[in-house]
Amino acid sequence: MRTLVLWDIDHTLISVRGLSGEIYSTVFQQLTGRTAERVADMAGRTDRAITSETLRHHGIEPTDDLMLRFMDALGNAYSERRGEIKARGRVLPGAQAVLEALSTRADVVQSVLTGNMKPIAVCKLSAFGLEGFVDVEVGAYGLDHAERPPLVRLAQDRAGRKYGETFDASRTVLVGDTPHDVHAGHQGGARVVAVASGASSEGDLRAAGAEVVLRSLADTDAVVRAVLDAGQPRSRSTDVRAPEAS
C-alpha cells in the first residue's frame, strides 16, 4: 500500500527569484507587440489561468490558438534561460534531502502537482538536479486544467494506471505552500502538508485547513514523518526550523 506524494514546485521545492514574471512579460510582448502592464498573480495558480487572466487584463481574448502559441513560447523561453534558472534560483532548505529520503521508500510514489506546464516543470526541476526523485509521468500540470483541484484526481489516475494501485484521498498527500494548494488537495481528494516557505504564513495555511503545517523542509526526519502521518488532526503546526548556529 503506497502513498502518492504530490509536490508543488515553486516556493515549496525551489525559488527562481522573479524570473517567471520576467518571462511572462517577455513572451507577452513578443506575441502581442505590447508591454505587459500587469502579469496575473501566480501563487498557487496554473499557467493556463495565469495566461488567460493576463491576456484579458489587457483586453485580449485568450483564444485557443493564442493560448497554444503563448504556451509554446513560454516553454521555449524557459528552456533558453535554463542556465539563468540555476544561477538566479535556489533549492529551498531541506527540499533535496526530503525528496531523496522519500525516494528510497518502497511505500511512497513521488510526483508533482504544479501550476507549471510539464516542460517548464521539468526544466525547473532538472536545472537543480531534482527530476530524478519524482516520477514526472504521473504528475499533473498547468495545461491539464485551468484550476488546481481537478489535477489531484488526474495525478491519482495516472499513478494508478502505471503502478496498478488505487490512490484515493487516504493514500494521497499534496505538499504545497499556499492556501490554493490546501484547497486543491481537499477539493481534489488528498491530505495536505503545507509549508510556510512562500508568501503565505503558518496562520494562513492553518486557517485554510491543512492537516499539517510546517515552517520549512529543513528537518528531514520531521518532514518525512509529517508527510507519512498527514492524516493526523488538522491544523497541527510543526516546527521544523533548523537549529540556530552557535
Side-chain angles (χ1 to χ4, degrees), residues 19-20 22-28 30 69-85 117 119-120 123:
L19 183 60
S20 295
E22 291 179 20
I23 290 177
Y24 262 89
S25 295
T26 298
V27 169
F28 180 89
Q30 288 174 348
R69 290 192 290 119
F70 207 108
M71 293 300 111
D72 285 344
L74 277 178
N76 290 335
Y78 272 96
S79 179
E80 290 169 0
R81 298 177 73 167
R82 185 175 180 276
E84 198 173 344
I85 292 172
M117 62 181 191
I120 294 176
C123 183

Side-chain angles (χ1 to χ4, degrees), residues 2-6 109-113 135 137-141 144 148-174 184-192:
R2 284 182 279 197
T3 296
L4 176 63
V5 181
L6 299 172
V109 173
Q110 289 192 108
S111 191
V112 294
L113 190 147
D135 185 346
E137 291 182 5
V138 302
Y141 303 93
D144 290 325
R148 291 178 84 96
L151 299 182
V152 176
R153 171 52 57 190
L154 184 56
Q156 289 169 332
D157 290 343
R158 286 172 173 167
R161 286 194 297 271
K162 179 169 182 177
Y163 293 98
E165 301 180 33
T166 299
F167 296 99
D168 57 16
S170 68
R171 296 177 57 199
T172 306
V173 177
L174 189 156
H186 291 161
Q187 294 170 24
R191 296 166 289 153
V192 180

